[in-house]
Amino acid sequence: MLYVFLTPPGKSAIVRPMKTHQTTINRIFSMKGIGLHTGREVNLEFIPRREPGIAFVRDGQVIPARYDQVADTRLSTLIAGGGASVSTIEHLMAAFYFSGITNCLVYIDGPEVPIMDGSAWEFYQEMWRVGIYEFPESGTYLQLLKPVEVALQDAYVRMKPQSSFDITMSIEFRDPVGRQKRRVLDVENAFAIINSRTFTMVEEIEAIRKMGLAKGGSLDNAVVVDAEGVMNPDGLRYRKELVNHKILDLIGDFYSSGYRMLGKVEAHKSGHHLNNLFLRQLFSDPENYAIY
Ligand SMILES: [Zn+2]
């Protein structure tokens, strides 16, 4: 076991066992599903990778799943490079995070990662079944050394140095959702986050459909909220499923840093845009972090 000695500012040394080795999947596997926006079937092939990082391959173009390749965050996190793009990477990225996989190539034959059940659950299950392969190289953890903050109107993402990763998220929507808050102390083992589904207000669907999008959206892959409450016949998977899903999105977006983070996150009404701005702010100053 590897021990890393971390000394966040203002605190005494903390000894924490960490698995800092790079990993990949044990063998090739494939998955398929429907794209949320196109409504068309998309095939994914997962290939073990020796080089660090997760990358997508579309039309022969390799696009690193990295924050500085993010080109659009309006409906999901979209990465682009060399004239190709892949959208809705965030739930798959969260599955990689929870599986502990740091290096992988994902071949994709369509413009968006399939929505599956609206969460990271099916990707995670498949990765868990295939297993992981560990390399001797380290460099998988990012320890925050200084507070970093981004804000837009009343929404914000703040992070402070700490030797573990915890997230406090709050959301605010119209009734009956209202304000919901959740704190996750041990993010790496917060398994109720993995299968919390994406959600939308019923009136937003109309607006998105008018743009010719959300063709693949249904109650099978999203929680839909109307004036009375949740429209899905089986209701919610967790009482706090909606705020859980916002945490899932943040974990997936943060994993496009290329690292597993250590720090204390507080986020209010954050989404893909603010999550990406946060990473750009974090990496703008090398004194903000250390890599292990
Ligand atoms: Zn999401």
Side-chain angles (χ1 to χ4, degrees), residues 199-215:
F199 63 93
T200 184
M201 305 296 121
V202 71
E203 61 273 16
E204 284 173 12
I205 299 179
E206 274 315 301
I208 295 171
R209 288 237 163 104
K210 273 186 189 145
M211 294 159 69
L213 299 169
K215 285 179 185 149

Side-chain angles (χ1 to χ4, degrees), residues 17-288:
M18 294 200 321
K19 202 173 172 190
T20 60
H21 289 240
Q22 291 178 32
T23 61
T24 191
I25 48 173
N26 250 336
R27 60 174 170 81
I28 295 172
F29 68 97
S30 30
M31 293 184 77
K32 63 180 174 187
I34 300 294
L36 175 65
H37 290 302
T38 56
R40 282 201 230 119
E41 190 173 277
V42 190
N43 295 283
L44 300 173
E45 192 167 32
F46 296 79
I47 313 280
R49 188 186 199 202
R50 188 72 179 82
E51 281 172 68
I54 310 291
F56 288 82
V57 185
R58 187 175 175 216
D59 300 332
Q61 270 303 325
V62 178
I63 316 169
R66 217 175 46 216
Y67 73 98
D68 54 355
Q69 303 282 142
V70 171
D72 194 339
T73 50
R74 281 170 296 178
L75 296 167
S76 71
T77 297
L78 177 145
I79 50 167
S85 69
V86 177
S87 73
T88 324
I89 67 162
E90 58 272 15
H91 305 158
L92 179 53
M93 292 302 286
F96 279 123
Y97 174 82
F98 281 110
S99 304
I101 295 163
T102 62
N103 309 356
C104 191
L105 278 179
V106 185
Y107 281 73
I108 183 165
D109 67 355
E112 57 180 330
V113 174
I115 190 67
M116 311 310 285
D117 72 342
S119 77
W121 179 239
E122 291 173 53
F123 299 128
Y124 172 77
Q125 272 189 311
E126 219 41 39
M127 291 170 192
W128 189 83
R129 208 170 55 78
V130 168
I132 66 174
Y133 180 89
E134 205 170 299
F135 295 118
E137 289 86 357
S138 58
T140 59
Y141 272 89
L142 183 151
Q143 170 69 58
L144 192 77
L145 299 176
K146 289 179 175 179
V148 174
E149 176 175 348
V150 290
L152 278 174
Q153 285 123 25
D154 60 337
Y156 60 80
V157 180
R158 299 174 186 149
M159 194 170 179
K160 288 181 191 154
Q162 181 178 275
S163 62
S164 60
F165 187 27
D166 77 65
I167 300 173
T168 303
M169 169 74 70
S170 47
I171 57 171
E172 232 178 85
F173 285 90
R174 63 147 171 77
D175 284 338
V177 177
R179 191 176 165 120
Q180 287 187 19
K181 191 171 182 177
R182 168 98 201 261
R183 184 172 185 206
V184 178
L185 284 175
D186 181 11
V187 174
E188 299 202 352
N189 297 303
F191 294 109
I193 303 298
I194 304 177
N195 69 342
S196 286
R197 294 162 296 173
T198 192
F199 63 93
T200 184
M201 305 296 121
V202 71
E203 61 273 16
E204 284 173 12
I205 299 179
E206 274 315 301
I208 295 171
R209 288 237 163 104
K210 273 186 189 145
M211 294 159 69
L213 299 169
K215 285 179 185 149
S218 76
L219 293 176
D220 292 331
N221 54 35
V223 173
V224 182
V225 181
D226 67 9
E228 264 86 62
V230 171
M231 292 172 71
N232 303 56
D234 295 333
L236 294 174
R237 290 178 177 171
Y238 304 99
R239 192 171 57 85
K240 292 198 175 180
E241 183 169 5
L242 308 190
V243 68
N244 281 359
H245 186 81
K246 281 289 185 186
I247 295 174
L248 181 79
D249 281 342
L250 186 140
I251 290 169
D253 285 340
F254 269 33
Y255 203 39
S256 72
S257 64
Y259 301 103
R260 307 175 74 77
M261 300 263 193
L262 295 172
K264 182 184 175 63
V265 176
E266 271 179 53
H268 178 58
K269 292 170 75 172
S270 87
H272 304 304
H273 179 57
L274 212 52
N275 296 344
N276 186 253
L277 281 185
F278 177 87
L279 294 180
R280 288 174 192 270
Q281 175 77 16
L282 167 66
F283 287 109
S284 69
D285 182 355
E287 296 202 344
N288 283 339

